[in-house]
Amino acid sequence: MNSSNCVVLTTPNELENLIQNAVKVALENLQIPAQSLEHPPKDFLTIQETANYLNLAVPTIYSLVSRRELPSIKIGKKLAFKRTDLVTLLESGRRKTRKELITLSEQSLSKTKLLR
């Protein structure tokens, strides 16, 4: 008998167990932890979470993405944002304190004197 022509009778519970075991084996072969599929990584944010995090409106986030001023990842039809990218963006807009500016200018002056 050819195995492709076989009919297997099973109960719904047995079928569910077969499917779950097949998926588990497939995930193990791909070396993807099953938990990562159930719970997305905490270091990625949705567009709404990103808007809340940056205290901006969602349309503003879309605008920043379209102008390529905000790095994003497209997953299907949805955007995701890496938390570290958002922190980097915020830190890039940080203004230096007066003390930091004085220190930088003193360092620059001392390098200039060494070059003379």
Side-chain angles (χ1 to χ4, degrees):
M1 178 192 275
N2 188 347
S3 65
S4 64
N5 295 330
C6 289
V7 175
V8 177
L9 297 176
T10 182
T11 66
N13 286 340
E14 290 173 332
L15 180 60
E16 183 179 351
N17 287 335
L18 284 170
I19 292 170
Q20 286 177 352
N21 288 335
V23 169
K24 183 178 177 182
V25 168
L27 289 175
E28 288 171 357
N29 289 338
L30 291 173
Q31 298 178 346
I32 299 173
Q35 184 179 9
S36 70
L37 298 176
E38 296 169 9
H39 305 290
K42 299 272 187 216
D43 57 337
F44 285 93
L45 302 175
T46 65
I47 193 155
Q48 185 61 56
E49 292 169 331
T50 300
N52 292 342
Y53 186 75
L54 297 176
N55 197 26
L56 297 171
V58 170
T60 304
I61 300 297
Y62 281 118
S63 177
L64 291 170
V65 169
S66 71
R67 292 191 316 248
R68 298 195 180 264
E69 294 177 18
L70 183 62
S72 63
I73 299 165
K74 194 161 187 179
I75 303 172
K77 294 183 178 183
K78 297 189 178 209
L79 291 173
F81 302 87
K82 199 169 184 182
R83 189 181 300 268
T84 55
D85 289 342
L86 300 178
V87 170
T88 302
L89 177 72
L90 290 172
E91 288 175 347
S92 70
R94 180 182 174 272
R95 294 177 64 189
K96 293 185 179 5
T97 64
R98 183 180 305 262
K99 185 176 180 179
E100 290 171 327
L101 291 171
I102 290 170
T103 303
L104 285 173
S105 63
E106 288 172 348
Q107 289 172 349
S108 178
L109 285 173
S110 65
K111 284 181 185 177
T112 305
K113 289 178 184 176
L114 291 175
L115 293 175
R116 291 185 184 176

